[in-house]
Amino acid sequence: MVADPTLRELEARILSCTDCRLHLSRKRAVPGEGPADASVMFVGEGPGFHENEQGRPFVGAAGKFLEELLEGIGLSRAEVFICNVVKCRPPGNRDPLPEEMDACAKYLEEQIRVVHPRVIVTLGRFSMARYFPGARISAIHGKSREIGGRMVVAMYHPAAALHQPSLRKDVQADFEVLRSLLSEAESQPETPPESSSDATQLNLF
Ligand code: URA
């Protein structure tokens, strides 16, 4: 459970959400977790088997690899905010459908507004498409773009690197980019939340 009252209230709404058909097959919704003032937010695709069982994001093999990557750049899981484009598991780990992502978009937008991270890292195709429509991950991974006063960087999903070990080096290099982005961001004054509406930006996509 998250400590911040606004995030807690959002979490309660997600846990009881019935806005798309994924609520019919979920065991537990997976709102996401992390500090309300995290500098970095990771946005994955959607809960898998283990996440659906435990109600927590990235707790399976991909999550373990994500934790290793974080440790590699001196961060711990407890310092970052981790969530997904859809908060309930698509049955059989199928891709989330457009209407499911649309129904869930309000929750991600609210999480971004509240946490107001300096850097958003997209993990996988669906979160990448929100910020980099039409892009190919092989072309843009590790490249950052400023959107609504924060940096957004697309990375391979950790599960992809587990299935394709040749991607591991790319993912590790992309985490070094994240390390630099965070230290750059920390040396600059923070943009006030009012002037960096991701909700506005996201509606453009
Ligand atoms: N993959 C995701 O995209 N999200 C999770 O929470 C777990 C695996």
Side-chain angles (χ1 to χ4, degrees):
M1 198 212 269
V2 288
D4 177 82
T6 315
L7 288 178
R8 243 199 344 261
E9 188 263 336
L10 186 60
E11 184 175 284
R13 280 171 50 209
I14 294 170
L15 294 179
S16 60
C17 180
T18 57
D19 291 351
C20 81
R21 75 180 91 162
L22 293 181
H23 82 277
L24 297 170
S25 53
R26 75 177 174 223
K27 184 162 182 184
R28 295 187 188 200
V30 181
E33 61 189 29
D37 61 351
S39 300
V40 56
M41 178 183 281
F42 289 86
V43 185
E45 295 190 358
F49 174 83
H50 296 287
E51 291 75 22
N52 181 54
E53 292 293 313
Q54 297 181 37
R56 296 183 58 212
F58 283 93
V59 289
K64 193 164 176 295
F65 184 40
L66 178 60
E67 285 172 25
E68 279 171 36
L69 290 162
L70 285 168
E71 276 163 28
I73 59 163
L75 285 175
S76 72
R77 180 183 173 112
E79 290 173 273
V80 303
F81 199 91
I82 306 177
C83 61
N84 284 301
V85 169
V86 292
K87 312 302 189 195
C88 297
R89 184 191 185 206
N93 292 348
R94 66 157 167 74
D95 289 346
L97 300 174
E99 61 267 29
E100 295 160 355
M101 291 189 279
D102 287 350
C104 226
K106 55 186 176 291
Y107 298 131
L108 178 57
E109 284 163 16
E110 185 69 359
Q111 286 171 321
I112 293 169
R113 191 190 66 74
V114 175
V115 177
H116 189 45
R118 297 289 194 110
V119 181
I120 293 178
V121 178
T122 67
L123 298 173
R125 283 184 290 148
F126 296 99
S127 52
M128 178 180 75
R130 295 178 68 84
Y131 293 98
F132 305 100
R136 291 175 65 90
I137 186 69
S138 55
I140 67 153
H141 71 89
K143 294 193 178 121
S144 58
R145 167 173 157 190
E146 189 180 328
I147 299 175
R150 71 184 100 246
M151 301 311 290
V152 183
V153 56
M155 294 196 194
Y156 284 107
H157 196 287
L162 289 178
H163 291 127
Q164 223 177 309
S166 59
L167 293 180
R168 270 180 174 249
K169 284 235 162 342
D170 285 331
V171 177
Q172 279 159 346
D174 292 349
F175 266 72
E176 289 302 328
V177 172
L178 174 61
R179 191 206 293 263
S180 310
L181 281 175
L182 284 172
S183 62
E184 254 170 58
E186 266 145 35
S187 67
Q188 285 162 14
E190 202 174 341
T191 317
E194 296 73 29
S195 61
S196 63
S197 164
D198 258 61
T200 311
Q201 276 287 343
L202 288 170
N203 289 339
L204 299 174
F205 297 143

